[in-house]
Amino acid sequence: MQPTDIIVSYKGAPSTGFLDDLLTVADDKLSVLETQSKLRKKVYHILVEVLQNIHHHYDYNSKDDNSAVMCILARNSEGGYVILTGNFVRSEEVGHLKAQIDKINSLNTEQIKELYRSTLDNGETSSKGGAGLGIIDIARRSGQPLAYEFKDYNNGSSFFSLTVKISA
Amino acid sequence: MENFFLEGSTKTPELKFNGDTGSFLIEGRSIPENSIEYYKPLFEWLDAYVQAPKQKTVLEVKLEYFNTSSSKCLVEIFRKLEKAQAHGYDVQINWFYEEDDEDMQESGEDFQEIIDVPIVMNVIQG
């Protein structure tokens, strides 16, 4: 494990303002820290997508005190970035999410591009806007396999953690 | 017809659609959580516009960032313009990206792949 600098971190309730606040802080800090505009944009873009992905999948019905979300954006010693997120999802969503990420992880760059394009072309626009495009986009821009874990809490909720790496 | 204008914000782009000249602009950031809500009035305006479009319609897309939910909305906007083209009107989309922004360039190419209206790539020199 390389030493890392944490740029932003958040743990708490996914209140309405949390996405906005986190993005504003990350945007400000990245514009100072990251001189490569290409990399800065990529990191910010992926951060937007992972946070909105949390928002779309988050189990808002869970009244559990532990039902916080977390997000960390950090920079490693090689100048690359890592985004770590964690949130509760409804357990019945786990199978679908797992299958989706496993499928994307099994594809090469060109295949991910094709999948993105066909999903953009055919995917239904739901009120959430998603249609699975978000996770494909995250993988495509990161260019690296997505690491994830699900922990079942036996109460209908599972904790979903996702790690996205972005090379310098 | 009346023009369609929406001022931009930190999460939503400026929308400037001039129905008298057929010159349209989307500029800024498009990262709202619910993009459909933002773009819906524009969809409705465009549905009316394509009933009687100008002989030439040019849409300039100058986005710094857009999220995947916005990309769905862009597809919907472009599809409406396809209708005008299918009825014999000239339609062109100008896609702008900064010189080193390969991701934004590739996004333009994604749309080129799935949209029938010509999408012209334009580099903004840094």
Side-chain angles (χ1 to χ4, degrees), chain A residues 118-131:
Chain A
S118 61
T119 309
L120 184 62
D121 197 10
N122 307 319
E124 296 244 319
T125 316
S126 71
S127 59
K128 289 177 172 181

Side-chain angles (χ1 to χ4, degrees), chain B residues 23-43:
Chain B
S23 138
F24 300 168
L25 174 73
I26 301 176
E27 183 168 24
R29 291 182 174 194
S30 185
I31 53 171
E33 279 138 57
N34 190 343
S35 301
I36 297 170
E37 201 177 273
Y38 184 72
Y39 285 100
K40 201 164 177 270
L42 177 63
F43 294 161

Side-chain angles (χ1 to χ4, degrees), chain B residues 112-126:
Chain B
Q112 277 180 326
E113 196 68 28
I114 60 177
I115 301 295
D116 282 336
V117 171
I119 300 178
V120 180
M121 305 294 277
N122 296 272
V123 181
I124 305 166
Q125 301 293 338

